[in-house]
């Protein structure tokens, strides 16, 4: 680029980002710093258990899903938790971390999956999640995928035991992560993108639909109200897929459940059992197993 000609790429990116968010809802009151801190910055995690189903292999399997959510100090450069943030003040960014952990018994063997997303708490100033990982284990083998937000794009690393999966490294630019809308609901539902946009589908969906390429897809998203709760609904015309996430209308916006359909048929769904707050990492004794019953875990 010649001297004196400013780079227009940042402007174009901002314009495209605005175009995907211009219809976003503004129906929720802003959460005060005090209320947010009194709930999320207590040194405990929020753990919610769900009755969940998975439909694969022409069968429906019943299992459990946990959403484990808390806030932590994160390294903006390394994309890892900072154990001594006071020593790295210039690199610290506060994030909401969400682990989604699911288990299903599929006949003789078990499937287990864990998706983690790290979303900046200041979601208006930092609209994109910094990191996403997804690991799936079954008796056949395991897969792993990671995405890092760098230079206005997501850099992916993907590894798998099976040939059809897209292994290797690649980048995807100019769009949203479906897996980050869960944290956006908890942080600030007004920040949810709405209308037509580009979005990367959820990692668990992609894992169980190996023929679907991991890329940006055209999506339509909207916020709807039913009774005393809201639902955030995403539809992918090309994939014939729809995801509806129900959540409470007031802070801290607990997620009540979800329904995911592909070609008009259920793929996954979840219904909340119970929510607890716990510094679970301190409950590592055999006697602590009784606490699992509160979450519907065996």
């Amino acid at each position: 680029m010649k001297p004196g000609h400013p780079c227009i790429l940042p402007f174009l990116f901002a314009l495209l980002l605005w175009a995907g968010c211009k219809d976003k809802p503004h129906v929720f009151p802003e959460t005060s710093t005090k209320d947010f801190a009194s709930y999320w910055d207590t040194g405990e995690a929020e753990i919610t258990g769900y009755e969940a189903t998975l439909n694969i292999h022409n069968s429906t399997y019943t299992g459990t899903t946990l959403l484990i959510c808390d806030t932590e100090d994160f390294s903006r450069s390394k994309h890892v938790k900072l154990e001594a943030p006071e020593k790295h003040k210039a690199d610290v960014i506060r994030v909401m971390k969400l682990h989604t952990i699911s288990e299903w018994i599929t006949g003789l063997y078990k499937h287990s999956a864990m998706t983690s997303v790290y979303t900046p708490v200041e979601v208006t100033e930092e609209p994109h999640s910094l990191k996403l990982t997804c690991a799936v284990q079954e008796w056949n083998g395991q897969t792993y995928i990671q995405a890092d937000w760098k230079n206005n794009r997501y850099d992916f690393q993907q590894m798998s035991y099976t040939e059809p999966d897209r292994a290797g490294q690649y980048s995807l630019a100019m769009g949203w992560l479906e897996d980050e809308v869960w944290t956006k609901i908890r942080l600030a539902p007004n920040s949810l993108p709405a209308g037509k946009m580009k979005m990367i589908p959820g990692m668990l969906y992609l894992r169980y639909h190996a023929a679907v390429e991991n890329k940006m897809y055209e999506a339509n998203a909207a916020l709807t109200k039913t009774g005393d709760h809201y639902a955030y609904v995403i539809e992918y015309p090309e994939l014939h897929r729809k995801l509806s996430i129900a959540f409470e209308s007031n802070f801290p916006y607990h997620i009540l459940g979800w329904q995911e359909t592909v070609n008009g048929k259920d793929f996954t769904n979840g219904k909340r059992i119970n929510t607890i707050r716990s510094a679970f990492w301190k409950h590592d004794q055999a006697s602590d197993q009784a606490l699992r019953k509160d979450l519907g875990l065996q």
Side-chain angles (χ1 to χ4, degrees):
M1 184 171 292
K2 295 181 180 179
H5 288 260
C7 178
I8 64 171
L9 288 179
F11 169 76
L12 290 176
F13 175 73
L15 183 62
L16 289 170
L17 186 62
W18 173 83
C21 299
K22 61 185 177 67
D23 297 322
K24 68 181 181 181
H26 291 279
V27 299
F28 301 94
E30 184 176 351
T31 303
S32 70
T33 302
K34 180 179 178 181
D35 287 344
F36 186 91
S38 66
Y39 189 83
W40 288 114
D41 297 335
T42 63
E44 294 182 319
E46 180 199 87
I47 310 169
T48 304
Y50 298 82
E51 295 177 355
T53 61
L54 171 69
N55 291 277
I56 56 173
H57 310 317
N58 297 316
S59 296
T60 300
Y61 305 99
T62 300
T64 57
T65 292
L66 293 178
L67 298 186
I68 304 173
C69 196
D70 64 358
T71 57
E72 65 185 23
D73 290 324
F74 205 63
S75 167
R76 186 186 294 273
S77 61
K78 298 179 181 179
H79 288 185
V80 295
K81 179 182 178 181
L82 286 170
E83 298 299 334
E86 67 280 1
K87 298 180 180 179
H88 307 278
K89 293 182 180 180
D91 193 38
V92 174
I93 182 169
R94 193 71 174 170
V95 300
M96 175 171 282
K97 174 182 66 178
L98 173 64
H99 296 318
T100 302
I101 303 172
S102 299
E103 291 187 344
W104 302 277
I105 303 296
T106 53
L108 175 63
Y109 61 101
K110 177 185 288 188
H111 283 236
S112 61
M114 180 173 179
T115 300
S116 301
V117 64
Y118 303 80
T119 305
V121 168
E122 297 295 337
V123 69
T124 302
E125 297 179 9
E126 303 273 358
H128 287 281
S129 296
L130 299 181
K131 183 177 181 179
L132 167 68
T133 64
C134 180
V136 179
Q137 303 83 32
E138 53 175 291
W139 285 15
N140 288 317
Q142 56 188 322
T143 61
Y144 179 80
I145 190 167
Q146 177 170 319
D148 290 277
W149 179 252
K150 296 179 179 179
N151 301 319
N152 292 333
R153 69 176 186 270
Y154 280 107
D155 291 338
F156 278 85
Q157 302 177 63
Q158 186 166 339
M159 289 155 279
S160 176
Y161 70 89
T162 182
E163 183 180 15
D165 288 339
R166 181 181 176 182
Q169 298 181 352
Y170 52 95
S171 295
L172 298 175
M174 299 299 186
W176 302 98
L177 293 173
E178 178 188 304
D179 287 312
E180 72 184 335
V181 304
W182 303 77
T183 44
K184 287 181 179 293
I185 288 172
R186 304 308 309 276
L187 286 167
N190 288 329
S191 71
L192 290 165
K196 293 183 179 180
M197 69 198 73
K198 295 283 190 179
M199 185 170 281
I200 302 172
M203 293 298 106
L204 195 60
Y205 161 77
L206 292 173
R207 171 64 193 94
Y208 286 114
H209 294 81
V212 178
E213 183 181 355
N214 183 15
K215 67 176 186 178
M216 296 289 178
Y217 289 87
E218 295 286 347
N220 300 305
L223 190 69
T224 63
K225 192 175 191 298
T226 304
D228 60 353
H229 70 269
Y230 283 85
Y232 183 64
V233 183
I234 309 168
E235 296 188 69
Y236 298 87
E238 181 180 346
L239 301 175
H240 304 288
R241 177 171 172 262
K242 179 179 179 180
L243 173 65
S244 178
I245 306 170
F247 62 96
E248 293 178 344
S249 58
N250 298 308
F251 178 81
Y253 306 113
H254 290 115
I255 291 174
L256 302 173
W258 65 90
Q259 183 178 25
E260 181 183 5
T261 60
V262 180
N263 293 317
K265 298 180 179 179
D266 282 346
F267 173 52
T268 68
N269 63 55
K271 182 179 179 180
R272 186 170 71 165
I273 299 171
N274 192 24
T275 298
I276 66 171
R277 296 189 60 78
S278 172
F280 63 87
W281 49 93
K282 298 179 181 179
H283 296 289
D284 56 3
Q285 302 300 304
S287 59
D288 292 323
Q289 292 181 13
L291 299 173
R292 294 171 58 84
K293 293 182 180 179
D294 293 337
L295 297 167
L297 303 173
Q298 301 297 321

